[in-house]
Amino acid sequence: MIVGIDLGTTNSAVAALLPDGPKLIPNALGNVLTPSVVAIDQSGQILVGQLAKDHQVLNPESSVSGFKRHMGSDWTVKLHKHKFDAKKLSSILLASLKEDAECFLNSEVTRAVITVPAYFHDQQRQATIEAGRLAGLAVDRIINEPTAASMAYGVHEKDSDRTVAVFDLGGGTFDISIVDFFEGCVEVRSSAGEAILGGEDFTRAVARTILADKGDQFEIAELREPAMVSRLIQQCELAKRELSNTNTAKVIVPDKNGSLDPSGTHSVTIDRDFLNRACEPLFAKIERPVRRALGDANLTTKDLDEVILVGGATRMPAIAERVNSMFCRQPMGSLNPDHVVAMGAAIQAGLIEGNKALEDTVVVDVAPFTLGIEISKEMGHQLKSGYFLPIIDRNTVIPTSRCHTVGTIAPNQNQMTINVFQGESRRVEDNLMLGTFGVSGIPNGPAGQLIDIRFTYDSNGVLEVEATIVATKTVAQLVLANGQASMTEAEIKSAVAAMQKLKTHPREETANRFALKRAERMFQELSIDLRRRLGQLLDYFESSLEAQDPSQIEAARQELLIFLSLHDRDDLSGGE
Ligand code: AMP
């Protein structure tokens, strides 16, 4: 079976299309959202998901989150003595989701559809495909997150033809797509977005503002100890979520070592105004992509039938209000904004498998940005380089293939460098360089020897560029610029072998480890009375583990978990 995976900045989820529709698959802790966090513990074992997230609170130096933002770049991080890039970290997360799916479906899972932000560029998409391969998953398709969400809605509410805006604000990225639903078709008319804008930025903005306003008072203004910063961000995240339901929230300010004062005297109370002021410059970034997506679809807000909210950050009242005033209508969301993307990915998986229930479903997607090459232009008898020649215009339906013929600029020019860019600016310096390659063997002759440049953009949003010397029919192909070129089979094999040496904690022990880890962390922070009680519960749990009696372990763990959920201020599960 092909599964659908939402590989998120903050949380990830895996889903499968079952006879009664798309279904989210629970992880070893019974949750359908798995935090996108990886860590290495003291014994050198890899922790993934909630275990890693808990570990991160006190051990930020051996944990990492938010790595999706670095996909396709040369960013690396060191956890203990191991170096990881975003692709490897994503593959660890994907391998854990694959295992959850295998446990749930009771069969091996080797194929997946993975979602990415519509605004992900070529290298980020390639890196996502390779992360899948490293995790033992052949990636059948990469689809855009808002498109996946649209599919979930399209299948859920099959019978109504309408035009909607899908407003997707997650942990790290913002995408907006204008989508037509008609007779089982889901047709994306336009997409636009911001690659770096999401809930994580709002949380950090709150933390920065608290440090600026109150840092002196708590003697942490000049301190940037990782443990303190990580703890403060975590407390701001809690407060930010609380403010989605209440008017004020308390942020417990950690001391310089990152510890929280159990009495809560080191705290600040913030309200929605504070949150909105801290985030205002970020909120302002939402409007431009919205205007662009509407303009590209040749629509105004009046032409829309509804606005669908996707992504955890759309729970913020300020976001709902902004959507309301930008679109002049109340946004809706009859499906859970955290679940729709994975559900849509499962539907795409069903389409690939030829699932009978989806016989009438057709999905049409677009390339969200313009793709082209650098050219020189004659300006007052002088050739000037640095101009952008679009070859595939933004919002062209994909898959697509377009060809453009260019000429050499000097007599007997035997070589040409093709620089490939993505973006909307007239000059390449303001666009993003995707890659570069050389064409050699151009025959001697006057300037103007012809080269055909063909851009092929497949259904995954992955680009192939080919240059053909017209006179000789010699072909050259794009090799990516920053060393992020696709891995060969042999490289994948050796990377998989290297990763297998890193031990991941067995899934069946996850629930016990989770309870133990969280209890041990809380133990340090509780008041004396509560600490005594927790100590007793921990002793009982540990002795049950020693005795290896499954029913006693289960009972002791449940008792411990009840205590933890009553007294843990760090419990983030309320946002789900
Ligand atoms: P996603 O990538 O869609 O899982 O979005 C996760 C982001 O949504 C994180 O940055 C969370 O802080 C944010 N989020 C989740 N729940 C809430 C909430 N109740 N209020 C505000 N933000 C939330």
Side-chain angles (χ1 to χ4, degrees), residues 379-437:
M379 296 281 161
H381 302 300
Q382 251 199 342
L383 269 180
K384 278 193 134 181
S385 60
Y387 290 91
F388 183 51
L389 171 74
I391 294 186
I392 295 180
D393 287 312
R394 71 169 189 252
N395 294 316
T396 302
V397 169
I398 60 168
T400 185
S401 188
R402 296 272 163 93
C403 189
H404 207 290
T405 306
V406 295
T408 50
I409 50 175
N412 299 332
Q413 178 185 339
N414 302 121
Q415 295 182 358
M416 186 187 274
T417 302
I418 314 276
N419 293 327
V420 179
F421 285 86
Q422 157 195 316
E424 310 307 325
S425 181
R426 209 173 133 256
R427 302 213 36 114
V428 292
E429 66 200 19
D430 299 323
N431 291 335
L432 174 75
M433 185 160 187
L434 293 181
T436 186
F437 69 112

Side-chain angles (χ1 to χ4, degrees), residues 42 99 103 266 271 292 379 398 402 443 548-549:
Q42 287 75 2
E99 202 181 343
C103 275
H266 270 57
D271 59 11
R292 177 187 281 181
M379 296 281 161
I398 60 168
R402 296 272 163 93
Q548 295 185 5
D549 172 349

